[in-house]
Amino acid sequence: MTRLEFWQGNTACAEGALAAGCRFFGGYPITPSTEVAEHMARRLPKVGGVFVQMEDELASIASIIGASWTGKRSMTATSGPGFSLMMENIGYGIMTETPCVVVNVQRGGPSTGQPTRASQGDMMQCRFGSHGDIAVIAVSPGSVQEMYELTAKAFNLADRYRVPTFVMTDEIIAHMRERIEVPDAVEIVERRPLEKGALPYAAGEDGVPGFPTFGQGYGVHVTGLTHDERGYPSSTDPHVHDKLVRRLVGKVEGARREMADYEVINPDAEVVFVSYGSPGRSVKQAVRDMDDERVGSLRLRVVWPFPDFALNEFKNARVFLVPELNLGQIAREVASHTAVPVVPVPELGGELHTPARLAKTAEEYL
């Protein structure tokens, strides 16, 4: 059963988190994500959860990492400047394999930039912003409905792979209002507990160790230092470091087919748009308006790990057009996985590509 609601994107994000079992939110208000925190502040106490407004974004990400180790699903929400402040502890979350969800409602940057305007300028920061060799999971909603669905999915991915997971949305999706269908319940994938007596960082074939929840009798050492399978620091042993980092990256990158989530329109097309987030809305309308089977679309709902094999859905592609609210961040990623020419279609300043502009661009390559 479902019910109909007319929600803002940020409200749908918060409600998706609650439906997925999020019971701790630690955050600091920042435009254009603040409504997520406001909604969680109202709703969490009513479902037995805890909301804490932290002193800054450094404390916010630290708090949700700590909450996760108590066994609770935890989340924070921020935007560009706050996201930058979180990067060191995001790396700590990756190294300690702490499942949690970080929502980034992207706005124009660099620096303070455009607090009230949309951007997708943090997509590479999400992937490579923390130092060292890392792999992350990031979803990108294209509607209010997907804000609900993909936020809930982010918690499952975080618990399944024991890694911080990102909801990379933008001001347009966050502040628009749409009718959505809200299910009575969402699928919840529980984190796998550590078997008693097992080494805390010994993993099976999937590279994901069981989770030793604090307070349940486990004796576990948690550290951001390079550590062995016991969790003991071993920062000067190159073999221990090599094995650990390869596993941390491999458990995510090796599951990209399992995590892949994308939408294909006109797989026989010659001119193909590759999009994610809000530009995907304009692409869908442009393809519909053109009504030409030579024009197709690949819309990504999971951006990281990048589903390079999805490009092969278009056997006749002569060019990939990549509209983004940045100067071509994901376009460069697309180009690294195909011999087909890739053309960035950037838009800066907070305005979304119009369907007419995209149709005109596509026509130039037909």
Side-chain angles (χ1 to χ4, degrees):
M1 296 289 290
T2 62
R3 71 180 192 275
L4 296 179
E5 295 285 357
F6 189 70
W7 279 343
Q8 184 194 68
N10 279 340
T11 301
C13 174
E15 286 291 333
L18 292 166
C22 177
R23 292 299 179 264
F24 181 86
F25 184 99
Y28 186 81
I30 181 172
T31 304
S33 75
T34 302
E35 294 87 355
V36 179
E38 291 174 341
H39 196 79
M40 295 296 272
R42 288 191 294 268
R43 290 276 282 117
L44 265 174
K46 298 178 181 179
V47 296
V50 175
F51 173 92
V52 182
Q53 179 171 318
M54 306 304 293
E55 63 268 30
D56 54 34
E57 289 86 356
L58 288 84
S60 299
I61 183 67
S63 72
I64 69 169
I65 289 172
S68 179
W69 277 92
T70 71
K72 299 300 182 183
R73 286 188 157 184
S74 61
M75 181 178 83
T76 190
T78 189
S79 190
F83 198 52
S84 295
L85 292 174
M86 292 182 180
M87 280 300 142
E88 182 180 1
N89 265 335
I90 285 172
Y92 179 79
I94 291 170
M95 189 61 136
T96 57
E97 299 180 77
T98 305
C100 56
V101 171
V102 178
V103 178
N104 182 354
V105 183
Q106 295 169 89
R107 71 192 217 186
S111 189
T112 311
Q114 296 179 292
T116 63
R117 305 294 282 176
S119 171
Q120 293 178 315
D122 305 346
M123 297 306 297
M124 283 297 175
Q125 182 186 25
C126 164
R127 175 63 183 85
F128 296 107
S130 195
H131 62 282
D133 290 294
I134 61 173
V136 302
I137 303 173
V139 301
S140 183
S143 66
V144 175
Q145 183 77 49
E146 290 185 351
M147 281 284 272
Y148 182 92
E149 295 172 353
L150 293 183
T151 300
K153 180 174 183 171
F155 283 94
N156 287 340
L157 292 170
D159 275 358
R160 169 67 181 84
Y161 296 100
R162 278 193 65 177
V163 66
T165 298
F166 303 94
V167 179
M168 299 297 290
T169 185
D170 60 69
E171 184 277 333
I172 292 171
I173 302 296
H175 284 159
M176 70 166 53
R177 296 178 184 270
E178 290 182 318
R179 187 183 75 168
I180 78 167
E181 295 182 359
V182 181
D184 289 340
V186 300
E187 178 187 11
I188 294 181
V189 178
E190 302 284 353
R191 63 182 72 167
R192 185 173 70 245
L194 179 68
E195 295 182 8
K196 291 297 176 69
L199 293 176
Y201 291 97
E205 290 185 2
D206 64 358
V208 184
F211 193 82
T213 302
F214 284 0
Q216 294 188 0
Y218 297 103
V220 180
H221 187 250
V222 181
T223 177
L225 285 167
T226 295
H227 47 273
D228 59 22
E229 292 183 343
R230 300 170 298 172
Y232 296 168
S234 186
S235 59
T236 59
D237 189 324
H239 301 293
V240 171
H241 186 79
D242 180 271
K243 181 180 179 181
L244 174 62
V245 173
R246 287 182 187 276
R247 180 177 65 78
L248 294 177
V249 172
K251 70 178 182 180
V252 175
E253 293 294 336
R256 62 175 63 200
R257 287 186 179 274
E258 183 179 333
M259 282 186 261
D261 188 352
Y262 55 85
E263 176 186 85
V264 171
I265 299 176
N266 293 343
D268 294 327
E270 299 175 9
V271 176
V272 180
F273 288 103
V274 180
S275 65
Y276 59 95
S278 56
R281 302 171 69 90
S282 295
V283 167
K284 189 171 185 177
Q285 187 63 50
V287 172
R288 182 181 298 155
D289 291 346
M290 294 184 75
D291 192 23
D292 189 331
E293 291 187 356
R294 295 176 299 168
V295 180
S297 166
L298 171 64
R299 185 174 70 88
L300 307 177
R301 284 162 43 104
V302 172
V303 178
W304 302 117
F306 187 79
D308 54 307
F309 47 86
L311 301 172
N312 296 329
E313 298 271 1
F314 299 90
K315 303 298 185 184
N316 301 324
R318 292 190 294 105
V319 64
F320 288 115
L321 306 177
V322 189
E324 301 180 76
L325 301 181
N326 58 50
L327 291 178
Q329 294 185 17
I330 299 300
R332 287 191 284 274
E333 181 70 17
V334 174
S336 71
H337 295 292
T338 180
V340 175
V342 176
V343 179
V345 187
E347 191 73 68
L348 295 180
E351 293 294 327
L352 186 61
H353 308 74
T354 64
R357 181 200 169 185
L358 295 179
K360 182 179 179 181
T361 303
E363 286 170 356
E364 294 174 1
Y365 292 91
L366 287 175

